[in-house]
Amino acid sequence: MDLSASKSVQGLWLTLLLGMFAAACSSTPDKPGNEADAGQPDAGPSSGGDGGPVVEVPDGGGTVVTDTLSGTLTERGSPYRVVGDARGIVRIPKGQVLTVEPGVILDFVGTPRVTLADVEAPDSVMNNQDGRVELQVYGGIQVHGTADKPVAFTSSNPHGWWGMNFFGDQSVGDGHPVFEHMIFERVRKVNYNGDRDRTRGALWAYYPGPVTITDSVFRDNESSAKCGALDLMFTVGSRVENTLFENNRTSDIDRFAVEGSSSMAGGGALCVTHGRDSVIRGNTFRNNRLEAFRGALRSQLVPRPLLAWPNAQNIRDLGGGGALHYFQPNNDLVEKNRFEGNVVTRGPAAAIYLEDMGTRALTLRGNEFIGNQAGAGAVVVCNRGSGAVELVVTPDNVFTNNTVNGAQAPNVSGDCDTATR
């Protein structure tokens, strides 16, 4: 439904919708379960403080959205109850721009007709897909919250939502995306071995231009491949600054798990894939998690290690970083970030994994790495170097109390050439 629709139609939809999800929508949403690994504790929404403000979705009022989003969203019309169309999709159309003002809440409620038992069915790793809604971006989006009134992308549906997705050249032409003072939470991209918009990153920014994200929060998001919270794919000149990534997770399911197969597991929080000239600066990556499992369409999941190539099993993993993963970086900078308490359950890089590196592909400057954990490798692992001095690690990076398989972790490992300047 376009926001220009009549108030009477909106009111009718709102009456129907509120009756349907009143139990799900409250100021203190239930914590979702970890859908891929019920044995791991779920972090749930942040309680505030340095985890960012709590999102409280009002029980009543607001505006229902069923088809498209465009124009300007105001605090007066908030919360926006995003249901989506018959296929569970809402779009920003090509040629139109969505502008979101301070204090707006977008509640991606979908149609919450499934139960938690449906989602966590013990005989299937292919979780129930019903009830979630996906935001597809073909036009422009400008999110301008403030420190006092951030913009929230959330879901009062305990099964989460499919997140926000860009589609390469199809999403270019209406202004580059900007996100300021935003909270982005509770996405569940758990369509294992499915399409990218249902598996990769709560915000999958497949966008051949700059994406700007500042002063924001990504928390309690889960994906089944590659990146828990954010995937910057083919972007050029993107900036992610002063943003908190907390309690995000990638729970990759390698269905086949035979020799010669591959896993897509990448980063617990953030991936930069095939991009160049990006700046990741002044952010905090805390308590993010990457894990990989063996399993079939219908079988019990078995944890397995993420393997650096080459390996005796002949399994081509793309690698794994507890917080951050780069694939084919090109003149990228990671500066003045704090990596704390991130975990790869059995994998090779407690904080950052780098793969397929050319000359001077990435610089690490002035970062803190504190209490990160991995099952193998080091805090930073750089593999498949193909240039001259692929990684620059300046002396002002600080490494404290990081572990690999319970022992003190090496700072950097892999086959890349590393320089300090």
Side-chain angles (χ1 to χ4, degrees), residues 35-36 118-121 124-129 132 190-192:
E35 297 164 6
D118 293 323
V119 177
E120 295 184 343
S124 176
V125 302
M126 301 295 288
N127 296 142
N128 197 309
Q129 312 303 318
R132 299 176 193 149
V190 288
N191 186 346
Y192 300 108

Side-chain angles (χ1 to χ4, degrees), residues 93-228:
K94 191 70 177 174
Q96 301 185 35
V97 177
L98 176 68
T99 301
V100 188
E101 293 186 345
V104 167
I105 296 174
L106 291 101
D107 179 16
F108 288 82
V109 64
T111 54
R113 58 181 177 270
V114 296
T115 67
L116 193 60
D118 293 323
V119 177
E120 295 184 343
D123 62 345
S124 176
V125 302
M126 301 295 288
N127 296 142
N128 197 309
Q129 312 303 318
D130 290 342
R132 299 176 193 149
V133 59
E134 173 187 353
L135 174 57
Q136 297 183 347
V137 182
Y138 294 99
I141 182 167
Q142 300 284 309
V143 175
H144 298 295
T146 65
D148 293 335
K149 291 186 175 183
V151 170
F153 289 78
T154 187
S155 177
S156 60
N157 180 346
H159 314 300
W161 55 297
W162 287 117
M164 181 188 302
N165 299 300
F166 293 73
F167 296 89
D169 290 336
Q170 300 176 70
S171 301
V172 175
D174 301 296
H176 298 310
V178 174
F179 305 92
E180 300 172 335
H181 291 284
M182 172 185 69
I183 298 168
F184 203 94
E185 65 179 8
R186 307 195 71 184
V187 172
R188 297 291 180 269
K189 283 195 173 179
V190 288
N191 186 346
Y192 300 108
N193 298 276
D195 293 336
R196 287 171 170 173
D197 59 330
R198 299 296 175 95
T199 60
R200 292 180 66 121
L203 201 169
W204 177 49
Y206 174 22
Y207 185 84
V211 176
T212 301
I213 300 172
T214 61
D215 302 292
S216 294
V217 176
F218 287 82
R219 65 188 177 205
D220 185 31
N221 299 292
E222 180 175 353
S223 72
S224 59
K226 199 61 177 163
C227 336

Side-chain angles (χ1 to χ4, degrees), residues 332-352:
D332 294 306
L333 174 64
V334 178
E335 182 178 43
K336 297 181 179 179
N337 303 281
R338 182 180 179 93
F339 297 87
E340 181 178 7
N342 302 288
V343 176
V344 180
T345 54
R346 293 180 152 192
I352 303 176

Side-chain angles (χ1 to χ4, degrees), residues 297-317:
L297 284 174
R298 306 183 71 83
S299 74
Q300 185 176 359
L301 300 181
V302 178
R304 76 164 182 83
L306 297 172
L307 302 172
W309 181 260
N311 56 74
Q313 293 87 341
N314 195 32
I315 293 177
R316 297 176 182 269
D317 281 342

